[in-house]
């Protein structure tokens, strides 16, 4: 599991868990989660539905308002940069 920054840099990566470990479990036990929760790192975390809602911004399901659709589109665009960074 990894975290990339706004300039396509890798901010944190965790490789000590077996591949069968769930991403949310890895995140819950990571130093990057602690750093964000203690506000030592500015910004926001974006993730997919594998992560718990509340701490990480995730897609909204059952969208009913334009604002929710705009939020989802913005999240998808931003996360595409993360996917490219991880892919490289």
């Amino acid at each position: 599991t990894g975290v990339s920054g706004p300039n396509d840099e890798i901010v944190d990566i965790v490789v000590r868990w077996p591949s069968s470990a769930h991403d949310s479990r890895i995140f819950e036990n990571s130093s990057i989660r602690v750093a964000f929760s203690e506000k030592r790192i500015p910004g926001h975390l974006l993730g997919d539905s594998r992560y718990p809602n509340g701490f990480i911004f995730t897609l909204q399901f059952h969208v009913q308002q334009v604002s929710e659709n705009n939020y989802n589109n913005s999240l998808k665009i931003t996360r595409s940069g993360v996917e490219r960074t991880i892919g490289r």
Side-chain angles (χ1 to χ4, degrees), residues 19-82:
S19 61
S20 61
H22 197 276
D23 288 344
S24 63
R25 181 172 183 199
I26 295 169
F27 177 74
E28 285 300 318
N29 291 281
S30 70
S31 60
I32 195 83
R33 183 200 59 79
V34 173
F36 268 97
S37 66
E38 293 176 351
K39 309 280 190 234
R40 289 186 278 133
I41 298 176
H44 302 284
L45 291 172
L46 308 177
D48 57 28
S49 61
R50 294 179 289 199
Y51 295 95
N53 241 346
F55 192 79
I56 295 177
F57 290 98
T58 60
L59 290 174
Q60 298 292 312
F61 294 102
H62 311 293
V63 173
Q64 296 178 359
Q65 297 180 15
V66 173
S67 61
E68 293 171 324
N69 189 54
N70 291 342
Y71 166 85
N72 279 353
N73 288 335
S74 294
L75 187 78
K76 288 175 188 176
I77 290 167
T78 304
R79 284 202 66 247
S80 68
V82 173

Side-chain angles (χ1 to χ4, degrees), residues 1-18:
T1 299
V3 176
S4 72
N7 299 311
D8 296 337
E9 74 278 17
I10 294 176
V11 176
D12 187 68
I13 193 161
V14 178
V15 296
R16 69 177 183 262
W17 290 78

